[in-house]
Amino acid sequence: MNISIINIGDELLIGQVVNTNASNMSKMLCEAGMEVRDVNIISDNVAEIGSTLRRCLKNNDAVLITGGLGPTKDDMTKKVLCDFFHSELVESVEALENVKRIFEARGYELTPINRQQALVPKCCTVINNVKGTAPCMWFETSDPEFNINDGTPRKVVVAMPGVPFEMENIMVTEVVPRLQEHFQTGHIIHKNILVQGIGESFLSDMIEKWELSLPKSIKLAYLPQAGMVKLRLTARGDNRDLLESQIINAVKELYPIAGKYIVGEDMETLPEAVAQMLRVNSKTLASAESCTGGAIASKITSMAGASKYFRGGVIAYSNDVKECTLGVKHSTLEQFGAVSGETVSEMALGVRERLNADYGIATSGVAGPGGGSPEKPVGTVWMAVAGPNGVTVQLKKYGDDRLRTIERACNEVFAMLIHKIKEDNAKAIENQL
Amino acid sequence: MNISIINIGDELLIGQVVNTNASNMSKMLCEAGMEVRDVNIISDNVAEIGSTLRRCLKNNDAVLITGGLGPTKDDMTKKVLCDFFHSELVESVEALENVKRIFEARGYELTPINRQQALVPKCCTVINNVKGTAPCMWFETSDPEFNINDGTPRKVVVAMPGVPFEMENIMVTEVVPRLQEHFQTGHIIHKNILVQGIGESFLSDMIEKWELSLPKSIKLAYLPQAGMVKLRLTARGDNRDLLESQIINAVKELYPIAGKYIVGEDMETLPEAVAQMLRVNSKTLASAESCTGGAIASKITSMAGASKYFRGGVIAYSNDVKECTLGVKHSTLEQFGAVSGETVSEMALGVRERLNADYGIATSGVAGPGGGSPEKPVGTVWMAVAGPNGVTVQLKKYGDDRLRTIERACNEVFAMLIHKIKEDNAKAIENQL
């Protein structure tokens, strides 16, 4: 069962908005056993929308469209859908009720321009958008133009609003379940393995034999990210139990080969691996950030439940904040500078003690583009992790891309923390023996 | 001059990676006066890559491809390009030198799999990728199959690596200038106006007459984001001076209509507006965050030069951090709770004083999904801004989406800060009179 996604919006084509809708939709569809064949970003243009929809519907079983449903003048989608399905715009009672409900809840007056949102092509099924005023529209067709084989279900077109949280809610609660029901979908299982501390090509060499021995139902992909590689195993087929056991086997066989670089399974990011590690071990964390400027804390706290293991943090951008809030010694800053192993070590120890956490992590570096010197060029980052068994310090030299340096430093210090907790656990077991 | 972008990668189609490449490329091309007509995300599949390239090249002057050039087994792009241009793979001397240089700099040994990266189709021009090992390839064609008109330049296909910072560097330094030279490009000017405190449809009603009076060369788009709307004016034409004066005029006429909601010009985000406001007025900022968990600080420090106006911040996730690090009174927390106007006010005042900043901003709320109560449901956020003329407090009730609540709270408190600085400036002028 193949799907095309069409995201409509000039804002996407001039790069002012990143198209997170496509990735979120793809993720949901994949997890539900459906395959996204292509994503098409096009302009708010009648001819363009029509021809893209025609092409995509010929090649796929369903086409999901986002965008172009707002009340403003640059939105064309509904007009195209009317022409495409030889229908006409009518006011939908349920869509109008939803618009009224939302305006009432917000205490706004319903304007004529907003009432227009309740207009839909007569031939569609309206799917309620509880989070917004633009209705979602479901169309079915058996028109032979679109290459429909005998005995297969009618092809489906769904038009949704482009506002991300509205689209997400409609997808999860309505569109994905309806697609699963309408088409008989097979199984797809994904397994992510986070690998840190080895480059993509070295990893590829290291696990080549293992990769070649994988069953045909399993596909491997390398997803390099800042400072780490995500390995993704994808199993497809009709027998879910078989696929699951094949995946379990494959992962089991990977550990003897590359286990020392594996930092997490069944997750997308290192912060998730950190969260799991802290939760499972009932440990707490505090952060002291200079060059990462809050990115460490933000990554941790963007996950629900973070208050269970994250005590808080200090962003010590200026030196006197490092002294007064974290207790870094004035003499340390004078002798070694803010960007040094000594300072970052005192930052980690200080935040651990002052915020009463089991682990303290710290960064201090030159993210750039300014502030570099011959001894400490842009990209120099010191990192530290302080725990019950002392403090570990590391120096990394990244390039001159500010955001990339911040990203990599976060991932590196997260990896240091994971390895530190593993070590501490091993020590604890040793002491018990 | 029209361009298609093709982003290749299964990781994009299963939603594990957000396609930031498309938006970054589109932005650069637009700013250089070129129009991106569509973006196509497709699979690492030989047939798919070939047919998409053929379609896009027929409809456009140039096609830019990213992805599928890595050394691993799931990358197909070079094979397709060879077939497409009836060429064969040869080892490029300059590409090999680049691979060697990068491996030497990193102290790694050159493996056969990495040497393969220097293979390119014989008919292409190699563009050096100084940040990575995969070469960039530039193809030109005058094959009549691709609808080339008499007297127009040969059509262009460029294949680039998919690693974002490699692609960005190649685009800025090589591909965009070469495209500008190869094609005679016209002018496109964009003007962003950030509007905060009014919904899209109300804004649309408010400025309808102004919009209808815009010259034909100017197009208006509404880009709603969490807690604000970005208005984008786009002017296209051959006379840059004329376009610029038309834009200036249009903006001048907007202020009497919607000026009180405008918080910034010529920028993409509220943090940029905050940075400009602080810089222009030589003021410093410190942040005290509970529910936003470092997102405020991270947004501020992701911009180069932040150390000039950002002193630092405290993430006070637990109550005792609010007390010991920010000086929130124990009795305040006991009587009113952490999520209250009283607490958030003391947080803002405390961080302003302790970190010695001109302005202190603070948030405390229930981001969810857990932690809500009937009086303080999930989505409740208190915000405060403390400055030389006292503290301002605000309560907002957002929905149950954790990340969206964090995002909106950040934008709201940034808007509060901007309005506060404006007020303080107005007061200072009053006092002088």
Side-chain angles (χ1 to χ4, degrees):
Chain A
M1 197 243 141
N2 292 327
I3 294 180
S4 265
I5 293 174
I6 302 178
N7 303 117
I8 299 169
D10 290 348
E11 69 276 15
L12 299 168
L13 290 174
I14 69 160
Q16 291 216 351
V17 172
V18 176
N19 188 13
T20 54
N21 277 356
S23 54
N24 287 340
M25 292 166 76
S26 299
K27 202 166 182 178
M28 293 178 209
L29 293 164
C30 266
E31 278 165 10
M34 292 172 262
E35 189 167 349
V36 175
R37 279 274 299 280
D38 49 54
V39 174
N40 306 268
I41 308 179
I42 55 170
S43 168
D44 252 323
N45 169 296
V46 171
E48 196 76 19
I49 300 173
S51 69
T52 307
L53 176 55
R54 200 166 299 278
R55 169 173 56 80
C56 291
L57 199 56
K58 277 182 185 164
N59 298 332
N60 294 281
D61 301 301
V63 179
L64 306 188
I65 305 172
T66 68
L69 300 180
T72 53
K73 298 190 184 357
D74 53 358
D75 293 328
M76 302 289 178
T77 309
K78 277 199 284 202
K79 181 178 161 25
V80 176
L81 289 167
C82 263
D83 293 350
F84 194 88
F85 290 108
H86 315 294
S87 191
E88 54 178 327
L89 283 179
V90 293
E91 191 170 82
S92 152
V93 175
E94 49 192 312
L96 183 61
E97 257 171 31
N98 188 51
V99 174
K100 282 182 180 167
R101 179 186 61 78
I102 287 176
F103 272 70
E104 234 165 66
R106 293 181 190 165
Y108 295 161
E109 200 197 334
L110 187 67
T111 61
I113 205 172
N114 287 108
R115 193 177 174 117
Q116 281 175 28
Q117 299 232 283
L119 295 177
V120 300
K122 203 172 178 178
C123 66
C124 80
T125 306
V126 171
I127 295 179
N128 201 17
N129 171 12
V130 295
K131 303 231 175 192
T133 51
C136 169
M137 293 162 282
W138 173 287
F139 302 85
E140 292 183 14
T141 178
S142 52
D143 190 326
E145 181 191 350
F146 302 116
N147 307 327
I148 300 172
N149 298 326
D150 283 347
T152 56
R154 291 151 71 89
K155 290 199 171 185
V156 171
V157 175
V158 186
M160 282 170 278
V163 181
F165 77 99
E166 294 181 21
M167 175 283 291
E168 278 161 36
N169 183 262
I170 294 170
M171 281 290 289
V172 171
T173 60
E174 297 281 351
V175 175
V176 171
R178 283 173 193 239
L179 288 171
Q180 282 180 304
E181 203 192 305
H182 184 88
F183 299 98
Q184 296 298 324
T185 54
H187 294 289
I188 299 191
I189 303 175
H190 300 289
K191 175 88 184 175
N192 288 329
I193 297 162
L194 293 194
V195 179
Q196 201 274 344
I198 182 169
E200 183 186 359
S201 63
F202 291 95
L203 182 65
S204 166
D205 277 353
M206 179 185 279
I207 66 175
E208 187 177 15
K209 271 191 192 160
W210 168 82
E211 186 180 347
L212 293 171
S213 76
L214 289 174
K216 277 200 178 136
S217 52
I218 297 185
K219 212 178 153 187
L220 177 71
Y222 291 77
L223 312 176
Q225 300 187 353
M228 61 171 210
V229 178
K230 194 157 57 186
L231 290 178
R232 189 199 59 213
L233 292 164
T234 303
R236 284 165 201 264
D238 292 327
N239 185 337
R240 192 174 184 95
D241 291 344
L242 176 66
L243 296 176
E244 271 171 2
S245 75
Q246 284 177 330
I247 289 264
I248 289 169
N249 251 335
V251 173
K252 212 171 103 188
E253 283 163 10
L254 182 62
Y255 269 86
I257 308 164
K260 73 183 260 210
Y261 300 107
I262 296 175
V263 290
E265 279 183 33
D266 290 326
M267 49 185 70
E268 304 285 315
T269 66
L270 276 174
E272 287 173 60
V274 166
Q276 193 186 58
M277 198 59 117
L278 291 167
R279 246 191 340 249
V280 168
N281 292 285
S282 302
K283 300 296 180 194
T284 58
L285 177 68
S287 57
E289 306 182 59
S290 186
C291 66
T292 50
I296 289 176
S298 183
K299 283 171 195 292
I300 295 284
T301 60
S302 68
M303 295 176 288
S307 57
K308 291 217 174 47
Y309 45 84
F310 187 64
R311 307 247 332 132
V314 171
I315 297 129
Y317 232 53
S318 66
N319 277 355
D320 48 327
V321 175
K322 291 186 183 78
E323 284 184 49
C324 74
T325 314
L326 292 169
V328 175
K329 287 198 288 286
H330 188 73
S331 59
T332 306
L333 286 164
E334 286 237 308
Q335 197 182 338
F336 304 103
V339 179
S340 66
E342 290 77 5
T343 294
V344 81
S345 161
E346 289 185 24
M347 286 169 70
L349 290 164
V351 82
R352 173 178 185 265
E353 193 194 311
R354 294 194 173 200
L355 270 62
N356 193 23
D358 296 308
Y359 290 90
I361 54 181
T363 58
S364 187
V366 189
S373 68
E375 306 86 55
K376 295 170 185 177
V378 167
T380 304
V381 181
W382 281 95
M383 285 159 266
V385 178
N389 293 311
V391 61
T392 309
V393 173
Q394 196 182 187
L395 167 66
K396 283 277 169 177
K397 303 207 171 190
Y398 302 122
D400 54 5
D401 181 314
R402 182 180 180 87
L403 294 183
R404 193 170 154 77
T405 292
I406 291 174
E407 189 71 20
R408 296 192 73 162
C410 286
N411 276 341
E412 191 66 43
V413 80
F414 287 142
M416 283 174 74
L417 175 63
I418 291 170
H419 290 303
K420 186 98 173 166
I421 298 176
K422 276 186 183 173
E423 271 172 43
D424 289 343
N425 284 346
K427 269 186 198 149
I429 290 167
E430 240 172 61
N431 289 344
Q432 280 175 358
L433 294 176
Chain B
M1 196 247 143
N2 293 327
I3 294 180
S4 265
I5 293 174
I6 302 177
N7 303 117
I8 299 169
D10 290 348
E11 69 277 15
L12 298 168
L13 289 175
I14 68 158
Q16 292 216 350
V17 174
V18 176
N19 188 13
T20 54
N21 278 357
S23 53
N24 288 339
M25 293 167 77
S26 300
K27 203 167 179 172
M28 294 178 208
L29 293 164
C30 266
E31 279 165 10
M34 291 172 263
E35 189 167 352
V36 176
R37 279 274 299 279
D38 49 56
V39 174
N40 306 268
I41 308 178
I42 55 171
S43 169
D44 252 322
N45 170 296
V46 172
E48 197 76 19
I49 299 174
S51 68
T52 307
L53 177 54
R54 199 165 300 277
R55 169 172 57 81
C56 291
L57 199 56
K58 277 183 185 164
N59 297 333
N60 293 282
D61 302 301
V63 179
L64 306 187
I65 304 172
T66 68
L69 300 178
T72 53
K73 295 183 185 8
D74 52 0
D75 293 330
M76 302 292 178
T77 309
K78 277 201 284 204
K79 182 178 163 23
V80 176
L81 289 167
C82 264
D83 293 350
F84 194 87
F85 290 108
H86 315 292
S87 190
E88 55 179 326
L89 282 180
V90 294
E91 192 172 82
S92 153
V93 176
E94 50 191 310
L96 183 61
E97 259 171 29
N98 187 51
V99 174
K100 281 182 180 165
R101 179 186 61 79
I102 285 175
F103 272 71
E104 237 165 63
R106 293 181 190 166
Y108 295 161
E109 199 196 335
L110 187 68
T111 60
I113 204 172
N114 288 106
R115 195 178 172 115
Q116 282 176 29
Q117 298 232 283
L119 295 176
V120 299
K122 204 174 180 178
C123 65
C124 80
T125 305
V126 171
I127 295 179
N128 201 16
N129 171 11
V130 294
K131 303 231 174 191
T133 50
C136 170
M137 293 163 283
W138 174 286
F139 301 85
E140 292 182 12
T141 179
S142 51
D143 190 325
E145 183 192 350
F146 302 117
N147 308 326
I148 299 172
N149 298 326
D150 282 348
T152 57
R154 293 152 68 89
K155 291 199 170 186
V156 171
V157 175
V158 186
M160 283 171 277
V163 182
F165 77 100
E166 296 181 21
M167 176 283 291
E168 278 161 35
N169 184 262
I170 294 170
M171 281 290 289
V172 171
T173 60
E174 297 281 353
V175 175
V176 172
R178 283 174 192 238
L179 288 172
Q180 283 179 305
E181 203 192 305
H182 184 88
F183 299 98
Q184 297 298 323
T185 55
H187 296 289
I188 299 191
I189 303 175
H190 300 289
K191 175 86 183 177
N192 288 328
I193 297 161
L194 293 194
V195 179
Q196 202 273 344
I198 182 170
E200 184 186 0
S201 64
F202 292 95
L203 182 64
S204 165
D205 276 353
M206 180 184 280
I207 65 176
E208 187 177 15
K209 271 191 192 160
W210 168 83
E211 186 181 346
L212 292 171
S213 75
L214 290 173
K216 277 200 178 135
S217 52
I218 298 186
K219 212 178 152 187
L220 176 73
Y222 290 78
L223 312 175
Q225 297 187 354
M228 60 171 208
V229 177
K230 195 156 57 185
L231 289 179
R232 189 199 61 214
L233 292 164
T234 304
R236 285 163 201 265
D238 291 327
N239 185 338
R240 191 174 184 93
D241 292 343
L242 176 66
L243 296 177
E244 271 171 2
S245 75
Q246 284 178 330
I247 289 264
I248 289 170
N249 251 336
V251 173
K252 213 171 101 189
E253 284 165 10
L254 183 62
Y255 270 86
I257 307 164
K260 71 182 263 206
Y261 299 108
I262 297 176
V263 290
E265 278 183 35
D266 291 324
M267 50 186 68
E268 304 285 315
T269 65
L270 276 174
E272 287 172 60
V274 166
Q276 194 189 56
M277 197 60 119
L278 291 167
R279 248 192 338 253
V280 166
N281 293 285
S282 302
K283 299 296 180 193
T284 57
L285 177 68
S287 57
E289 305 181 60
S290 186
C291 65
T292 51
I296 288 177
S298 183
K299 282 172 195 293
I300 294 285
T301 60
S302 67
M303 295 176 288
S307 58
K308 291 217 174 47
Y309 47 83
F310 187 64
R311 307 244 336 130
V314 171
I315 296 129
Y317 232 53
S318 66
N319 277 354
D320 48 329
V321 175
K322 289 185 186 77
E323 283 183 50
C324 73
T325 315
L326 292 170
V328 175
K329 289 197 288 288
H330 188 74
S331 58
T332 305
L333 287 165
E334 286 237 310
Q335 197 182 338
F336 303 103
V339 179
S340 65
E342 290 78 4
T343 294
V344 82
S345 163
E346 289 185 25
M347 288 170 69
L349 290 164
V351 82
R352 174 177 184 264
E353 192 193 312
R354 294 194 173 199
L355 270 62
N356 194 22
D358 297 310
Y359 290 90
I361 54 180
T363 58
S364 186
V366 189
S373 68
E375 306 85 55
K376 296 171 184 176
V378 167
T380 303
V381 182
W382 281 94
M383 285 160 267
V385 178
N389 292 312
V391 60
T392 309
V393 172
Q394 196 184 188
L395 166 66
K396 283 275 170 179
K397 302 211 170 187
Y398 302 124
D400 54 5
D401 182 314
R402 182 181 179 87
L403 294 183
R404 191 170 155 78
T405 292
I406 291 173
E407 188 72 19
R408 296 192 72 163
C410 286
N411 276 341
E412 191 66 44
V413 80
F414 287 142
M416 281 173 75
L417 176 61
I418 291 170
H419 290 302
K420 186 96 173 168
I421 298 176
K422 277 187 183 174
E423 271 172 41
D424 289 343
N425 285 346
K427 268 185 200 150
I429 291 168
E430 242 173 62
N431 290 344
Q432 280 174 0
L433 295 178

